[in-house]
Amino acid sequence: MEEQSPAAAAPTGSGGRPPAEGRLRSAATTAATATAQKPSSRRAASSGEGDGGREVRRGRGGRSNTAPSRKRRHPVRVAVVSVAIVVVLLVGAAAGGFAWLHWFSEDDAADFAGTWYLAGTATPITITEDRIQLTDDVSYRYALNDQDKTFELSFGNLKGGGRYRFSLDRNQLALVDGDFSGADTLGDDIAWTLRALAEGAQGRVLAPEEAARGVTLLSRTPTGTPSLPEAADTPEAPAGEDAKADTGDGSKSGNDDGGAEPDKADAISAPDTSDKADDRA
C-alpha cells in the first residue's frame, strides 16, 4: 500500500482547499470589503446622503418649509428699524431746537437790563447791568446765571435769589423767589416752552409765569393807569381874564344877560367923580 502525506490525508472542502483555510480567507475578504466601504460611508455622512442629507440640502437651497416664514418677517424688521430711526431724528431735532431757543438765541443779560413796569401798573423799575433800582434810595445788587436761568440778590447783609423766565417775545419777565438748581429750571422751562409754542401757534402770548405769592411779573410797557398830575402842575389862567364857568343854561358866570363877555376895558370900574361935581357947584 502507498503512504499518504498529512496534507493529503486532511479532509478537503469545496474547491479542493481545507475548510479552515477557506474560512480564514473568507473572513479576510469580508474585512477588506468593510474597510473599503468605510470611506464612502464617511463621505456619504459628511455630504448628507440619505433622507437627512436631502433635507439639509433642501434647507440650504431655500426649499424647506421654514424659509417662507423668515422672508415674511424680514419687511417687518425693516419697518420697525425705519420707525425707530425717524423717532430718533425727531427727538434729536426737538432737543436741538429747544437748546438753541433756551440758551443761544438771545442774550439774557442784555434783555434783563432796561426799564420795566410792574404788571398791571405804571410803576417803573430800572434794571442796570448789576442793580435792580426800585426807588431812588432802594436798589438790589444782582447777578445772573444764564445757563441755569437763576439770579442772586444782595441788599447789604441780606441775600436771596430765585429763577427768571422771559416770554417768547421777550416783552415780559417773571422773577420767582426761591432756591432752584439748573435741573429744576430746565424741567419747568421745557414744559412751559411746549405750552408757549402751542399758544403762539394760535396767535397768543403765554405769560412767563402765573401770578402767585413770591412771583414778580414785569412788562416792558405800562399796563396800568398812570397817576394824575398834581394841582400845582396845572397852568394858571392869564391875569386880567375872568374865569368862565358853565352854568348849564348856556350863559357864563359873570355875565347876567348871557351875552358876550365884556371887554377888558369895560370890566375896569370907572372913577367916582360925584364929589368933584359938587365942589364945582
Side-chain angles (χ1 to χ4, degrees):
M1 294 180 64
E2 293 180 0
E3 295 183 357
Q4 295 179 355
S5 64
T12 61
S14 61
R17 291 193 182 90
E21 181 180 358
R23 287 195 297 273
L24 291 175
R25 293 182 65 86
S26 177
T29 303
T30 303
T33 303
T35 303
Q37 290 177 351
K38 285 181 180 180
S40 62
S41 298
R42 285 196 299 270
R43 287 195 300 271
S46 62
S47 61
E49 291 292 336
D51 294 339
R54 285 192 294 272
E55 291 295 335
V56 172
R57 286 197 300 272
R58 284 199 298 269
R60 290 175 181 175
R63 294 191 298 271
S64 64
N65 294 331
T66 58
S69 62
R70 286 197 299 269
K71 290 182 178 180
R72 285 194 296 269
R73 287 197 300 268
H74 184 67
V76 175
R77 289 198 300 269
V78 172
V80 171
V81 172
S82 301
V83 171
I85 292 174
V86 171
V87 170
V88 170
L89 291 177
L90 290 177
V91 172
F98 173 79
W100 176 82
L101 182 65
H102 192 64
W103 285 296
F104 306 109
S105 62
E106 302 290 345
D107 186 352
D108 286 353
D111 292 339
F112 202 83
T115 300
W116 295 88
Y117 297 88
L118 289 174
T121 71
T123 303
I125 294 177
T126 303
I127 300 179
T128 64
E129 62 181 6
D130 60 350
R131 286 185 178 275
I132 300 177
Q133 193 80 28
L134 298 180
T135 64
D136 294 338
D137 300 327
V138 179
S139 65
Y140 292 89
R141 185 178 295 275
Y142 75 93
L144 288 183
N145 184 340
D146 57 359
Q147 295 300 312
D148 294 343
K149 304 300 179 180
T150 58
F151 63 91
E152 294 181 355
L153 292 176
S154 61
F155 182 75
N157 296 328
L158 302 177
K159 292 185 179 181
R163 63 178 175 87
Y164 68 92
R165 180 188 295 146
F166 288 96
S167 60
L168 291 183
D169 60 1
R170 314 292 284 189
N171 287 327
Q172 299 180 56
L173 174 64
L175 306 177
V176 183
D177 297 337
D179 186 11
F180 300 94
S181 65
D184 296 333
T185 59
L186 182 60
D188 291 341
D189 288 345
I190 290 175
W192 179 87
T193 301
L194 293 176
R195 289 187 287 115
L197 291 175
E199 292 289 332
Q202 301 177 14
R204 295 190 296 265
V205 178
L206 182 65
E209 192 69 42
E210 296 181 357
R213 185 175 182 180
V215 177
T216 302
L217 296 176
L218 303 177
S219 175
R220 282 293 186 188
T221 57
T223 55
T225 303
S227 59
L228 296 176
E230 299 293 337
D233 296 337
T234 58
E236 297 180 356
E241 291 188 5
D242 295 333
K244 300 175 183 146
D246 192 354
T247 59
D249 57 357
S251 63
K252 301 293 182 179
S253 62
N255 188 7
D256 296 335
D257 58 358
E261 186 178 6
D263 296 335
K264 294 182 182 180
D266 297 335
I268 300 175
S269 59
D272 188 7
T273 59
S274 58
D275 293 339
K276 297 180 179 179
D278 295 339
D279 292 340
R280 285 194 299 270

